[in-house]
Amino acid sequence: MIKVDIQAVSPFLPPNFCSEQEAALNAAHAHLTSGTGVGAEFTGWVRLPALYDRAEFARLKAAAHKIQSDSQVLVVIGIGGSYLGARAVIELLRSPNYNLKQKDTPDIFFAGNSLSTDALLELLELIGDRDFSINVISKSGTTTEPAVAFRVLKGRLEQKYGTEGAKDRIYATTDKEKGALKHLADGAGYETFTVPDEIGGRYSVLTAVGLLPIAAAGIDIDALMVGAEAMMRRCLIPGEENPAWQYAAARHTLYQSGKSIELLACYEPSFRMFAEWWKQLYGESEGKQGRGLFPASAEFTADLHSMGQYIQEGQRLLFETVVHFAAPLGRYSIPYDESDGDGLNFLAGRELAFVNEQALRGTLLAHLDGGVPGIVLTVPNRTEACAGELIYFFEFACGLSGYLLGVNPFDQPGVEAYKRNMFALLGKPGFEEQRAKLEARFFS
Ligand code: PA5
């Protein structure tokens, strides 16, 4: 079970920080669980781990098996909430080096998350002559980055297998009825999976959006959902014992006391993309109306040798949230060396996990002494069940946090600004006036 430890924050928090916010937490909790808050139409994820569509779940498992049996490569096309969750879980549970490993599941490449020519060309080169399938994911079905990548990769697939053959290798995850992708998929006869109306992109990892690529990578999605459901049951009970309450209350108190950046840190390199998923979840949910903590991330101990200086002695804007996996999956002891040229024999026979643990403990106290409080989230290990717990925990705490902050945690109006400018500059029909205004700003 995930545990929230606020020992290394306590000098920065009043002892009763949680009970002091009880009324606000209760209200936020009720908004989430009874659908009474702003954005309530997007709270379908709250009971998803218990109520998910079993028939679609079975169908996506079958699709994952088919991909495993007929493809050496799966290309997952999507951006933002239609991409980060799957990549986060695959890297956390299988490894950031997943594609390099010997395995009986396909290599997985992510596309459509940039507009880089070189990245797209490199992807085509990496696929090479190998058999491949595509999972194209877009809730709106109209996002430019994945649409461009899909056009290119669909073309490549059709060249290789013909239109009919390609059809059996394309899986579209999108809205149940609207959007260009849905119409294209229905017209072409692709197998489709649904992003439920009441679940926004960044809360969708436990729907087909995340689950199809995760299952294709050979991850046990039943166990993932069991973990998420266990955490859901804990989070649905209001009160100070609720781990999401503790985390949301602690970070909100730190925000009110002047901290403006939350640094999510972990001592496992496989967590890096999970932190990217978390950054989108919190950044898009809280960063609006001039409010919100800026979500940043660090990979320790590597970043202690780069950002460590700033964290220890730079502007005092930060607090850190440390995800601590209590036990590694494997074991390794530091060997004894007769010559002891490196002076490390005092560690000989010690497990590397022990050394990593002391790095965490020492850093936490050093940062605390430097004015950077740390919340520690202890997670037993890197298993499917724990990943499911962690996902749900962060989602629920994020919903609570948004309501504590007084914003809608489920919209992202600010994401549209760049799109409008980009469409205008690209000459998309309907944006002519905007285009003239923008060009004038560049060249006047
Ligand atoms: O959280 C969100 O809603 C966004 O990050 C979207 O997931 C992202 O913009 C991609 O949108 P779509 O799935 O509609 O292509």
Side-chain angles (χ1 to χ4, degrees):
M1 282 211 315
I2 293 172
K3 219 178 93 224
V4 182
D5 182 350
I6 47 135
Q7 239 189 336
V9 192
S10 38
F12 288 79
L13 294 177
N16 46 356
F17 74 97
C18 208
S19 51
E20 269 182 3
Q21 296 180 72
E22 198 180 344
L25 281 161
N26 261 318
H29 190 98
H31 284 337
L32 276 186
T33 56
S34 316
T36 50
V38 58
E41 65 277 23
F42 292 112
T43 49
W45 55 271
V46 172
R47 290 184 177 77
L48 179 76
L51 301 180
Y52 63 90
D53 181 341
R54 264 56 181 187
E56 173 149 300
F57 192 78
R59 204 158 57 77
L60 75 82
K61 276 206 243 176
H65 282 133
K66 178 173 176 299
I67 294 166
Q68 287 166 352
S69 69
D70 67 9
S71 304
Q72 294 161 289
V73 173
L74 171 65
V75 183
V76 179
I77 301 176
I79 195 166
S82 290
Y83 143 72
L84 286 162
R87 186 158 175 195
V89 174
I90 292 169
E91 293 207 2
L92 181 68
L93 299 180
R94 295 296 312 264
S95 166
N97 300 314
Y98 168 81
N99 283 348
L100 298 176
K101 292 174 86 161
Q102 286 288 341
K103 57 193 178 298
D104 50 16
T105 50
D107 280 0
I108 296 183
F109 294 113
F110 293 91
N113 52 67
S114 79
L115 290 166
S116 160
T117 306
D118 293 341
L120 187 60
L121 289 172
E122 184 183 74
L123 172 66
L124 295 172
E125 188 188 323
L126 288 169
I127 297 169
D129 290 335
R130 292 187 286 171
D131 283 314
F132 75 105
S133 293
I134 297 173
N135 180 199
V136 54
I137 308 168
S138 175
K139 183 174 183 185
S140 63
T142 54
T143 309
T144 308
E145 291 89 336
V148 169
F150 184 50
R151 182 178 278 213
V152 172
L153 286 149
K154 178 167 77 81
R156 175 61 79 95
L157 208 58
E158 287 174 349
Q159 236 174 30
K160 189 170 166 74
Y161 301 101
T163 317
E164 273 306 297
K167 189 188 89 178
D168 289 338
R169 292 175 170 272
I170 297 176
Y171 305 84
T173 307
T174 188
D175 187 86
K176 68 175 186 309
E177 55 195 14
K178 55 181 192 303
L181 178 58
K182 175 65 180 162
H183 296 132
L184 202 157
D186 285 350
Y190 306 148
E191 177 157 20
T192 58
F193 296 94
T194 305
V195 192
D197 284 346
E198 59 285 1
I199 301 180
R202 60 189 176 276
Y203 292 83
S204 69
V205 52
L206 298 176
T207 71
V209 170
L211 294 178
L212 177 52
I214 291 170
I219 291 167
D220 180 352
I221 57 173
D222 288 287
L224 191 73
M225 295 307 282
V226 167
E229 185 177 356
M231 182 52 82
M232 180 196 82
R233 304 219 172 272
R234 286 176 74 194
C235 286
L236 287 181
I237 301 169
E240 288 180 35
E241 295 303 307
N242 183 321
W245 274 43
Q246 293 164 1
Y247 175 52
R251 63 195 294 287
H252 189 61
T253 309
L254 291 165
Y255 173 68
Q256 286 179 316
S257 74
K259 298 295 183 192
S260 52
I261 298 172
E262 178 177 8
L263 188 69
L264 188 74
C266 184
Y267 288 72
E268 290 295 334
S270 60
F271 191 77
R272 190 172 64 84
M273 285 308 298
F274 204 98
E276 295 301 316
W277 169 82
W278 172 89
K279 284 191 316 207
Q280 188 210 359
L281 182 65
Y282 280 78
E284 275 193 355
S285 299
E286 293 193 300
K288 52 199 74 162
Q289 297 168 229
R291 302 178 204 169
L293 284 160
F294 182 84
S297 64
E299 186 186 312
F300 290 164
T301 59
D303 288 338
L304 293 173
H305 299 259
S306 60
M307 294 307 291
Q309 172 60 37
Y310 190 101
I311 298 168
Q312 191 69 43
E313 294 181 350
Q315 280 199 69
R316 303 297 70 196
L317 303 166
L318 292 160
F319 72 91
E320 58 191 14
T321 295
V322 182
V323 175
H324 173 216
F325 289 96
L329 296 176
R331 304 182 74 160
Y332 193 82
S333 295
I334 295 179
Y336 177 79
D337 184 296
E338 195 63 51
S339 69
D340 198 24
D342 51 16
L344 279 181
N345 269 355
F346 77 104
L347 288 175
R350 282 287 193 186
E351 294 212 6
L352 191 53
F354 169 80
V355 182
N356 205 20
E357 175 104 11
Q358 304 326 303
L360 183 154
R361 295 174 76 215
T363 305
L364 199 62
L365 291 181
H367 289 176
L368 181 61
D369 292 342
V372 177
I375 300 169
V376 180
L377 305 176
T378 302
V379 184
N381 42 37
R382 276 188 306 124
T383 57
E384 277 90 342
C386 287
E389 279 193 51
L390 204 52
I391 288 167
Y392 191 89
F393 165 80
F394 277 134
E395 289 181 349
F396 198 88
C398 187
L400 287 178
S401 296
Y403 285 136
L404 287 178
L405 200 60
V407 300
N408 178 349
F410 306 115
D411 66 358
Q412 55 283 329
V415 177
E416 295 308 311
Y418 101 89
K419 290 189 195 167
R420 279 193 300 274
N421 283 357
M422 180 178 73
F423 290 149
L425 292 169
L426 285 170
K428 187 171 178 173
F431 290 81
E432 293 76 6
E433 205 180 312
Q434 171 86 344
R435 182 183 192 183
K437 283 187 192 153
L438 292 177
E439 292 292 5
R441 283 171 65 190
F442 277 116
F443 300 112
S444 58

